[in-house]
Amino acid sequence: MKKIILTTLTCALFGTSIYAQKIKGSDTVLPLTQKALETYKKENKSVAISVTGGGSGVGISSLLSGSTDIAQSSRKIKFDEKQKFAEAGKQVKEVIIAYDALSVVVHPANKVTKLTREQLEGIFTGKIKNWKEVGGEDLKIIPYSRETSSGTYEFFKESVLKNKNYMNGILSMPATGGIIQSVSQTKGAIGYVGFAYLNDNVKALHISYDKGKTFIAPTIENAKNKSYPIVRPLYYYYTIINATCKAFIDFVLTPKGQKVVSDAGYISVE
Amino acid sequence: MKRLIDTLIEQLIKMSGAVTEITVLLIIVFLFKEGAGLFNASEVEKGYTVLVHSENTVERLSPKELKEVFDGNIENWEKLGGKDEAIRIFRFDEIFSIYTEDELGKDYVLLPEKLEEVISADPTIIAYIPQKYLPTNLQGIKELAKMNISLTDFYIGKEWIPTATPAPLFGILPLLLGTLLVSFIAILIAIPLGVGVAIYLAEIANERVRKLLKPAIELLAGIPSVVYGFFGLVVIAPIIQKIGGLDLGETAFAGSLVLAIMALPTIISIAEDAMRTIPKAMRDASLALGATKWQTIYKVIIPFASSGIAAAVVLGIGRAIGETMAVLMVTGNAAVIPNSIFESVRTIPATIAAELGEAPGGGAHYQALFMLGCVLFIITLIISIVAEVISSRKIIKE
C-alpha cells in the first residue's frame, strides 16, 4: 500500500514538473508575473505554470535553449540574440505586457527638483560632480547605480546616457531597495528606481528630454500619456506557444490582467 | 560477520573521503579551466569588430582608448596619432535609422554592403559592428588590429568596467585591493576583541556566565549573512556617516565592521576551546609559583593555546575574505582603488555574485569572473599555508 502511495506521489511530482509551463527572466517583471499568475490561478485552478527570475539575459538564453516557454524581459531583445534565434531556426515573437517608468530620485532635503537628460548624463558619467553645477547647494554628488546584471541598468544607460558608459567606480547596489535606502540616508545622493518602488523617504525629480524646455513630473498619468520620457516596455518573448501559455498571456492583456499591472505599480498597456 | 561489517564501514569511510577530495579537485580544475580562456579572448567584445576608413593612419586602439572614444571623451583623431579631424562615432544600430528594413534585404543580406557604403564615405568614422556583417569588400575600410586580453591588463589594470562597449575593461587591481583592505581592517578589529572575549570566557567568567554566553555567541554564527548586510546598511552605515561627517556611509570601514562582527563567533569559539584544553596542572603550577592570574594568562595560557588561537584567526580571515552578501550590501561596490578606509570599495566575492547572473556564458566577462575566483582561491590557499606554518612552529621555548 505504502509503495503505491509513494509511486503515485512521485509520479504526480515528476508529472507536474515535466509538464508545468515555465516563465523565466527579468527580476523587474517577476513580481508582476507572479501577481498576475496568482489572480489567474484563482479562476483556473488546474494551471501549472512556474515563474523564476534571474535576469532578462538569462530568460532569453533559456528560451533559446528551450528550457523555458516564455522569457520575461525588461529590455528589448538584442540584435545578436535575435540572430541566434534565427540561426537555430526559431522565430521569436514578442508581446508588450506593461510599461515601467524609471524615476530619478534624490534625498528629500535636496533643493534640486528638476534635471535635463544632458545633466543626468553628466552626473552619471562623472562629468558633473557638484550639486551647485545644476542649481543646488555646494554638495558633492554621489550617484548610485544598479548592478550590471539588471535590465534597469541597461535601460538607463541606453535611454539617459545615450549608450555612454557609467563613470568609473560608480556606487552600485544589488537591489532597488538598496538604492532607496542609501538615497534616503545620504544627502548628496542620486539614483534611479522603478515607479513601483517610490516612497516618501526619497524625492523623485522632474525630467526634461528637450534641453530644459519642459520638465515632466514623474506621475503615472504622465507616464501613461507618454509625456514622461524614461518609460520602458516590459516584454514576454516566446517561440512556439502552447495553449496554456497562450491563455495566460491573453489573460495578462485583458482588462482584469491589466488591473493587476496597475495595482502592482506598473503602467498598463492601453 | 562482524569483521565483514567492519571492513565494509572502513571502505565506505575511505570512499567518502576519496569522493570529497575528488570533488574539491574537480571544482578547482573547473575554476581554472573556465578562467584560463580569458587570455585567449579578444579585447573587443566577442563577435564584434571595430572599423575605420582606410585612409585613417591609426592601426590599433587599446581598450581604454576605445572606451574614451565611444564615451565621447576623446573627440579628435590627433590624440590617437591620426590626423587633426573630429571623430565620428558609428554604432551598429544607427544603420537601421539610415536604411529601412526593406533596403537591407531579406535576412539582412544587403547589410554588409550598406555598412561598407556608410563607412567608406566618411574618412573620420569609427564603426563598431558585428563581425558577421563585416563587408566582404574591404576597399575604403580598415579593420583595427585586435589583440587578446593581456595578463598585465588583467592583473594591474586599474579599471573594472565589464560592460563597457566596444572593449570591456577588466582590471582587477581595485577589486583585489578592496578585498584585502576590507578583510585586513575587519581582522584588525576582530582579533583583539575575539581573543579578549575568549580569555574572559575561558579564564575569568564563572561557570554560569560562561554557560549563558557561549551558546549566545555561537548563535551569532548562525544568523544569515544577508541579515548582517541589511543591519550594516540600515544601522552601521548611517552611524559611520554621521560620526565621520562623511558624504556617504557605504564605505570600506562599514564593511569591515560588519565582517568583524561576523568573524567574531568563529574566533571566540575556537580560541576559547583551545584555551580550555590546557591541562589544569599547567595553570595550577603557574599559580603555585606565585604568578598572578594575569601573569598566568599571558605567560602560560596564551603561549600554550597559540596554535589554537592562530587557527581561530585564520578561520576568521577566511570568513572575512570570502564573505559575499553582507559586503555586497554595505561597501557601496564602487570599483575604484581605495585611498582611505572611508571610501567605497568593491570586493572580489561581491563582484562575482553581482555580475555572474547576467554575464553571457563563455564570454570574456564570464571568464574574467572565473579568473577572479581563481585569484580568491590562491589568496585563501596562501593564508592556509601560512597558518599551517605558524601553528606547526613550536612557540614555547624549552
Side-chain angles (χ1 to χ4, degrees):
Chain A
M1 189 59 206
K2 245 187 191 167
K3 253 190 186 161
I4 298 171
I5 294 175
L6 264 177
T7 333
T8 17
L9 258 179
T10 352
C11 281
L13 270 176
F14 276 94
T16 46
S17 66
I18 287 170
Y19 296 113
Q21 308 305 316
K22 293 188 205 83
I23 304 178
K24 202 173 188 179
S26 163
D27 292 317
T28 310
V29 192
L30 181 66
L32 181 57
T33 308
Q34 281 172 332
K35 283 206 181 97
L37 195 60
E38 262 171 47
T39 323
Y40 183 60
K41 271 186 178 164
K42 269 180 206 151
E43 292 162 19
N44 306 277
K45 292 223 164 62
S46 61
V47 165
I49 299 180
S50 68
V51 194
T52 46
S56 305
V58 174
I60 290 174
S61 59
S62 306
L63 184 65
L64 180 64
S65 68
S67 56
T68 187
D69 299 288
I70 301 177
Q72 45 188 0
S73 174
S74 60
R75 60 166 168 80
K76 207 174 169 61
I77 188 167
K78 280 184 186 162
F79 181 77
D80 43 329
E81 285 169 335
K82 222 177 187 171
Q83 284 302 307
K84 278 185 198 155
F85 277 100
E87 277 163 28
K90 289 179 181 170
Q91 252 219 314
V92 61
K93 297 187 193 82
E94 76 175 31
V95 50
I96 295 173
I97 51 148
Y99 290 92
D100 180 28
L102 286 189
S103 50
V104 178
V105 293
V106 294
H107 191 269
N110 198 322
K111 285 195 195 98
V112 175
T113 55
K114 51 185 191 179
L115 287 174
T116 66
R117 189 200 68 75
E118 287 74 17
Q119 285 171 328
L120 282 173
E121 183 189 309
I123 289 172
F124 280 91
T125 54
K127 289 189 188 78
I128 298 175
K129 291 190 163 68
N130 198 301
W131 281 109
K132 71 179 175 195
E133 290 171 60
V134 291
E137 52 191 312
D138 185 6
L139 186 71
K140 199 178 155 206
I141 298 179
I142 300 164
Y144 283 86
S145 160
R146 285 291 305 281
E147 278 294 349
T148 53
S149 59
S150 115
T152 319
Y153 169 98
E154 290 275 336
F155 174 70
F156 194 79
K157 182 175 164 181
E158 242 172 68
S159 169
V160 179
L161 308 188
K162 293 285 165 248
N163 279 318
K164 295 193 174 66
N165 291 303
Y166 288 90
M167 66 192 256
N168 181 27
I170 194 162
L171 293 162
S172 43
M173 302 306 281
T176 303
I179 292 200
I180 295 269
Q181 180 67 33
S182 295
V183 170
S184 69
Q185 65 197 26
T186 308
K187 248 192 127 195
I190 182 167
Y192 53 88
V193 298
F195 266 27
Y197 293 91
L198 281 181
N199 64 18
D200 292 342
N201 297 331
V202 293
K203 187 172 77 176
L205 296 180
H206 296 218
I207 305 294
S208 162
Y209 259 45
D210 52 6
K211 301 210 160 66
K213 273 183 224 133
T214 46
F215 287 90
I216 313 293
T219 59
I220 299 270
E221 292 78 57
N222 286 340
K224 250 183 197 165
N225 65 27
K226 304 263 158 70
S227 59
Y228 186 75
I230 323 178
V231 173
R232 59 171 169 175
L234 303 177
Y235 304 91
Y236 279 166
Y237 285 100
Y238 56 89
T239 47
I240 348 154
I241 196 83
N242 59 35
T244 321
C245 291
K246 183 88 183 82
F248 176 65
I249 294 178
D250 287 345
F251 166 77
V252 176
L253 296 173
T254 60
K256 209 167 180 185
Q258 289 299 306
K259 194 178 169 301
V260 177
V261 168
S262 319
D263 289 349
Y266 297 90
I267 297 138
S268 54
V269 191
E270 222 79 299
Chain B
M1 189 61 197
K2 233 181 185 177
R3 272 194 70 183
L4 192 73
I5 291 174
D6 269 7
T7 38
L8 213 75
I9 288 175
E10 201 180 302
Q11 292 302 322
L12 217 67
I13 291 173
K14 256 191 206 159
M15 272 255 292
S16 64
V19 167
T20 321
E21 301 270 310
I22 290 170
T23 316
V24 170
L25 259 174
L26 281 181
I27 290 174
I28 295 168
V29 168
F30 175 71
L31 193 64
F32 278 86
K33 201 193 108 233
E34 293 291 302
L38 177 67
F39 302 113
N40 295 324
S42 162
E43 280 173 352
V44 176
E45 208 180 316
K46 199 178 166 193
Y48 283 83
T49 188
V50 180
L51 301 177
V52 293
H53 194 267
S54 59
E55 281 170 26
N56 203 319
T57 48
V58 175
E59 293 294 337
R60 185 189 123 72
L61 293 174
S62 69
K64 173 104 187 143
E65 284 167 333
L66 277 173
K67 177 187 166 270
E68 295 290 311
V69 167
F70 278 84
D71 278 356
N73 295 333
I74 296 179
E75 289 169 333
N76 198 302
W77 280 110
E78 205 180 9
K79 281 185 192 155
L80 303 166
K83 286 180 221 147
D84 182 14
E85 285 167 331
I87 299 175
R88 182 183 157 209
I89 299 164
F90 181 82
R91 286 190 170 86
F92 179 62
D93 288 346
E94 287 170 40
I95 197 83
F96 299 108
S97 52
I98 301 175
Y99 298 100
T100 61
E101 296 262 333
D102 289 339
E103 283 176 290
L104 297 173
K106 193 175 171 280
D107 291 336
Y108 303 117
V109 277
L110 298 173
L111 193 56
E113 240 172 79
K114 300 290 180 196
L115 280 172
E116 187 200 336
E117 239 170 70
V118 172
I119 297 165
S120 58
D122 189 346
T124 64
I125 205 165
I126 181 163
Y128 170 55
I129 63 158
Q131 186 89 46
K132 214 181 136 193
Y133 296 110
L134 184 67
T136 38
N137 176 11
L138 280 176
Q139 245 168 14
I141 296 177
K142 187 169 69 177
E143 208 178 342
L144 284 183
K146 278 200 261 183
M147 306 276 266
N148 286 348
I149 293 167
S150 70
L151 280 165
T152 47
D153 276 351
F154 184 74
Y155 286 109
I156 55 172
K158 293 194 182 79
E159 279 178 86
W160 175 266
I161 309 179
T163 52
T165 46
L169 297 174
F170 299 116
I172 66 161
L173 208 57
L175 309 181
L176 189 63
L177 291 177
T179 309
L180 294 178
L181 178 74
V182 171
S183 316
F184 182 69
I185 304 291
I187 279 303
L188 230 52
I189 300 168
I191 289 177
L193 273 175
V195 174
V197 174
I199 291 171
Y200 170 75
L201 282 181
E203 299 299 323
I204 299 163
N206 63 37
E207 198 60 13
R208 254 187 55 210
V209 175
R210 204 185 76 82
K211 277 212 168 122
L212 209 72
L213 267 183
K214 185 116 196 260
I217 286 167
E218 277 163 0
L219 202 66
L220 280 180
I223 297 176
S225 58
V226 68
V227 175
Y228 280 108
F230 195 65
F231 173 75
L233 179 62
V234 179
V235 180
I236 295 181
I239 291 176
I240 290 176
Q241 185 186 0
K242 227 170 251 165
I243 291 176
L246 303 169
D247 292 328
L248 77 165
E250 294 93 338
T251 55
F253 187 61
S256 300
L257 271 184
V258 173
L259 281 185
I261 297 171
M262 292 180 70
L264 272 178
T266 317
I267 297 179
I268 294 171
S269 182
I270 297 174
E272 200 253 6
D273 283 343
M275 287 176 198
R276 288 184 66 82
T277 53
I278 295 168
K280 196 164 177 298
M282 295 288 291
R283 232 167 278 166
D284 290 347
S286 170
L287 292 173
L289 285 170
T292 62
K293 195 158 200 180
W294 169 237
Q295 282 170 330
T296 309
I297 286 172
Y298 81 93
K299 283 258 162 78
V300 177
I301 306 282
I302 292 183
F304 213 87
S306 61
S307 71
I309 294 173
V313 168
V314 168
L315 285 175
I317 294 176
R319 170 116 209 213
I321 283 192
E323 176 48 45
T324 308
M325 216 41 228
V327 177
L328 182 62
M329 293 177 80
V330 293
T331 56
N333 301 319
V336 279
I337 294 177
N339 290 319
S340 81
I341 55 169
F342 295 109
E343 264 175 42
S344 188
V345 296
R346 189 180 184 88
T347 67
I348 292 176
T351 306
I352 298 175
E355 293 176 8
L356 197 57
E358 200 82 338
H365 187 193
Y366 174 88
Q367 288 164 334
L369 291 175
F370 269 92
M371 211 56 211
L372 277 182
C374 298
V375 170
L376 201 60
F377 170 75
I378 289 168
I379 294 174
T380 37
L381 190 72
I382 292 171
I383 292 171
S384 312
I385 292 171
V386 168
E388 222 24 61
V389 170
I390 290 175
S391 59
S392 66
R393 250 183 22 203
K394 262 217 156 127
I395 299 203
I396 301 178
K397 290 188 188 111
E398 325 259 324

